[in-house]
Amino acid sequence: MRLFIFDVGGVVAENTSVVPSISGFLGISKEEFVEIAEMDNLLALQTGRITVEEFVYVFSRKLGRPVPGNIWDMFFKPTPMEETVRIIERLRRKYRVVAGTNTIESHYEIHKSRGDYELFDRVYASHLIGYAKPDKAFYSHILREENCFAEEAFFTDDTRKNVKAAAELGIVSYHFTDSTALEKRLREYL
């Protein structure tokens, strides 16, 4: 069996990072946003332990002023990376292809409503499975659900620490920079 696991933001869709836009909207730096948001709260949001509303409530209190509850959605305008989409469509003719994505519920729903996830045989979204990359449990969960050994899986992500974590489990892992290089690497792999 061969399984291909693709990250979504930065690999299959671009314009998915909303932190720069939110920071600009709030008149703070990205660093200030991350500091106020705290990594624990961001992780809790990505793993479904808190809702967007709960996150915004805590964030507003720390910031000292109200923040609109839809800050995560108002700037989320993902666009498909057509070359990667074509690669996935070709792979799906012969192999199982799934998404392994760190996301939040509202972004997941936006992708879903647009049909973006129809590209995949299944979507493993961090907020639904309770784990986020680079936690090794994220990858292990996918392998277990797909009944696949690590060495039978090929993982693509644009974040080095996520690629490294998957590789440490024995998954063939590729750091995505562009679709042309990915296609070359996949030809070598196959």
Side-chain angles (χ1 to χ4, degrees), residues 45-113:
L45 182 62
Q46 283 187 325
T47 55
R49 293 194 311 270
I50 63 172
T51 65
V52 167
E53 293 77 16
E54 290 168 322
F55 175 90
V56 170
Y57 174 78
V58 171
F59 187 87
S60 294
R61 288 182 53 105
K62 290 180 180 175
L63 185 63
R65 59 186 153 110
V67 171
N70 67 346
I71 56 169
W72 288 105
D73 297 358
M74 63 196 303
F75 301 108
F76 190 63
K77 311 272 188 259
T79 53
M81 297 171 72
E82 295 301 334
E83 297 83 12
T84 308
V85 168
R86 284 193 286 279
I87 290 169
I88 292 170
E89 288 170 342
R90 284 193 303 273
L91 283 171
R92 274 191 75 195
R93 292 182 197 141
K94 287 185 173 181
Y95 307 105
R96 185 150 171 91
V97 182
V98 301
T101 182
N102 282 356
T103 192
I104 62 175
E105 182 181 7
S106 58
H107 291 182
Y108 174 85
E109 292 302 329
I110 289 169
H111 275 300
K112 197 170 161 188
S113 70

Side-chain angles (χ1 to χ4, degrees), residues 63-176:
L63 185 63
R65 59 186 153 110
V67 171
N70 67 346
I71 56 169
W72 288 105
D73 297 358
M74 63 196 303
F75 301 108
F76 190 63
K77 311 272 188 259
T79 53
M81 297 171 72
E82 295 301 334
E83 297 83 12
T84 308
V85 168
R86 284 193 286 279
I87 290 169
I88 292 170
E89 288 170 342
R90 284 193 303 273
L91 283 171
R92 274 191 75 195
R93 292 182 197 141
K94 287 185 173 181
Y95 307 105
R96 185 150 171 91
V97 182
V98 301
T101 182
N102 282 356
T103 192
I104 62 175
E105 182 181 7
S106 58
H107 291 182
Y108 174 85
E109 292 302 329
I110 289 169
H111 275 300
K112 197 170 161 188
S113 70
R114 293 166 22 129
D116 296 343
Y117 291 143
E118 291 170 13
L119 181 62
F120 300 100
D121 292 303
R122 185 164 174 190
V123 176
Y124 293 94
S126 60
H127 76 286
L128 293 174
I129 66 173
Y131 307 108
K133 297 175 283 186
D135 184 342
K136 289 189 176 77
F138 178 91
Y139 312 96
S140 296
H141 176 86
I142 295 173
L143 294 174
R144 197 170 40 257
E145 287 291 311
E146 292 294 325
N147 197 24
C148 180
F149 293 110
E151 57 275 5
E152 297 173 323
F154 185 101
F155 172 69
T156 303
D157 199 299
D158 63 321
T159 304
R160 285 192 189 279
K161 67 182 175 184
N162 297 343
V163 172
K164 183 177 184 280
E168 287 171 359
L169 286 174
I171 298 170
V172 177
S173 302
Y174 179 74
H175 179 243
F176 180 88

